[in-house]
Amino acid sequence: MSQAIATAPAPAPAARPRRGGSEFSPLLRTVKDQGLLDHRPGWYARDIALTLLGIAAVAGGLLLAGPTWWSVLLAVPLAVLSARAAFVAHDAGHAQVTADRRAGRAVQLVHANLLLGMSREWWNDKHNRHHANPNHLDKDPDVAADVLVFAEHQTAGRTGLRGFLTRHQALLFFPLTTLEGLALKLYGVQALLAKDGPYRTRRERLTEGALLLLHFAGYAALLLTALTPVQALVFALVHQMLLGVHLGMAFAPNHKGMDRPDQHEDGDSWGHLRRQVLTSRNIRGGALTDWFLGGLNYQVEHHLFPSMPRPHLRLAQPAVRAHCRALGIPYTETGFVDSYRQALGHLHEVGAPLREERAGRPE
């Protein structure tokens, strides 16, 4: 099955939909006919096994090396492996890993809660709202005004530290991503303790809480057993900071600076195809790019088909690109470096009003 898919020729553009018909339906049929929505449990099993073996090897290396500052170097591969776990947790949340909902939930609980210390249900709630309305300032939590802002009107009234961050948010973006690994843990714990959190049942809350507690206890026990307290603290900081940068590099270029539905009078009526394609940006690259970014470099395809297994995203790209071309819908794809230039350029432009306001103030 996988070999047949991998060697299939690029499809012809899907037929232009009839007036009043869905622009997305012909593309969906094309992708289904190619079997690109079929699950790949074997592929994920290998990926998960390699990640778990890698984490076990790092833990073993820490214990064998003992309390030496050289052990801090192991924080680098652990950060990469933690990002691999995050990508699996993301995919499991989209039902990409398996059609069995219970098995998919278990996979995500292990990778999100146990391995990362990140709440599965908090992530799913936030991420599903993002997928439903990407880049919509009023509906997408990923572009709500927070530490960063994504539209000029969001800069109003930001003074003090928030004003400083907004004025220089493009320059500070990557330094701020060093906090992302810790932020994912903090927000998840806050949601777990909140009365109005996303957890539907008491059992669900207790399960997630127990796994989070096990993560934090196991992480601390490993580091304090292998290292001195100071070395353990430095290791944890390096690990979490590098994890944050890695995840930030995977998420940053996907939507920042792309079209926003709230900027258009008919934005709320956009169909699924336009809503996902116009707000997303792909990153060109080969196998290394696919691996490093966890398949999120195919952001257009991922948003169109959230349950599509990661190894099929690149195979769906020719059909998606051809279909968009046939409909006259812009399909955005750029290089690795240029994608960050565009995203950071947008953040710099958004902060311009505050910089101009500050420059105009009398001394």
Side-chain angles (χ1 to χ4, degrees):
M1 177 62 184
S2 60
Q3 182 64 27
I5 291 174
T7 58
R16 185 183 294 270
R18 292 174 296 178
R19 180 173 297 179
S22 168
E23 293 178 318
F24 179 62
S25 295
L27 178 61
L28 178 61
R29 286 194 297 270
T30 298
V31 166
K32 278 186 174 180
D33 290 344
Q34 289 195 354
L36 297 180
L37 295 179
D38 295 346
H39 288 89
R40 293 282 299 277
W43 186 93
Y44 277 105
R46 290 191 296 273
D47 187 66
I48 290 169
L50 289 172
T51 299
L52 295 179
L53 286 172
I55 292 174
V58 171
L62 278 171
L63 294 172
L64 289 173
T68 168
W69 284 105
W70 288 107
S71 294
V72 176
L73 293 176
L74 290 173
V76 178
L78 186 58
V80 174
L81 290 163
S82 296
R84 307 311 305 168
F87 294 144
V88 172
H90 167 270
D91 292 4
H94 282 297
Q96 295 179 25
V97 177
T98 174
D100 187 324
R101 296 182 66 177
R102 287 187 177 182
R105 179 175 182 270
V107 169
Q108 193 179 25
L109 282 170
V110 168
H111 287 78
N113 293 62
L114 186 59
L115 295 181
L116 293 177
M118 180 186 78
S119 166
R120 164 191 179 269
E121 198 58 39
W122 165 78
W123 168 259
N124 286 351
D125 175 71
K126 174 179 178 288
H127 196 59
N128 288 340
R129 285 186 283 130
H130 158 69
H131 266 264
N133 292 282
N135 245 25
H136 194 300
L137 289 185
D138 301 322
K139 300 178 181 180
D140 181 358
D142 286 359
V143 291
D146 194 6
V147 176
L148 302 176
V149 295
F150 305 94
E152 288 189 7
H153 73 268
Q154 291 178 324
T155 66
R158 293 177 74 93
T159 59
L161 177 59
R162 284 182 175 268
F164 173 81
L165 292 174
T166 301
R167 290 195 300 273
H168 306 288
Q169 62 181 4
L171 182 64
L172 295 174
F173 177 79
F174 282 111
L176 287 171
T177 62
T178 61
L179 303 176
E180 184 65 18
L182 296 173
L184 292 175
K185 295 172 174 58
L186 176 61
Y187 291 145
V189 171
Q190 287 178 337
L192 186 71
L193 299 177
K195 292 182 179 180
D196 59 346
Y199 309 93
R200 292 183 291 272
T201 66
R202 184 171 181 269
R203 180 179 179 180
E204 189 176 68
R205 188 186 296 266
L206 289 174
T207 299
E208 292 224 19
L211 288 172
L212 289 176
L213 184 61
L214 188 57
H215 165 81
F216 295 127
Y219 188 69
L222 171 64
L223 296 188
L224 291 174
T225 298
L227 306 171
T228 68
V230 174
Q231 290 170 345
L233 178 61
V234 173
F235 184 99
L237 287 175
V238 173
H239 171 215
Q240 298 302 324
M241 290 170 68
L242 290 178
L243 170 61
V245 172
H246 191 161
L247 294 179
M249 293 183 72
F251 295 132
N254 299 340
H255 303 282
K256 291 174 179 60
M258 294 301 295
D259 206 351
R260 300 199 329 259
D262 57 275
Q263 291 178 306
H264 303 267
E265 290 185 3
D266 64 342
D268 287 337
S269 64
W270 284 358
H272 179 69
L273 185 77
R274 290 178 185 269
R275 185 166 61 249
Q276 305 301 339
V277 173
L278 295 177
T279 60
S280 302
R281 176 192 293 113
N282 276 14
I283 300 176
R284 285 190 296 271
L288 180 60
T289 301
D290 293 359
W291 178 86
F292 184 75
L293 299 181
L296 296 177
N297 46 312
Y298 300 105
Q299 193 67 194
V300 174
E301 288 71 27
H302 170 57
H303 264 256
L304 286 172
F305 309 100
S307 64
M308 179 178 287
R310 194 192 314 168
H312 290 176
L313 294 171
R314 66 179 180 87
L315 303 177
Q317 188 180 40
V320 173
R321 187 191 287 119
H323 187 61
C324 289
R325 185 185 303 117
L327 294 175
I329 297 176
Y331 178 99
T332 302
E333 184 178 33
T334 187
F336 186 84
V337 173
D338 195 49
S339 67
Y340 298 107
R341 182 190 64 77
Q342 292 180 23
L344 296 180
H346 173 70
L347 292 178
H348 182 73
E349 183 179 338
V350 168
L354 284 189
R355 292 195 301 275
E356 294 169 0
E357 178 183 329
R358 185 174 180 83
R361 288 177 184 171
E363 295 294 335

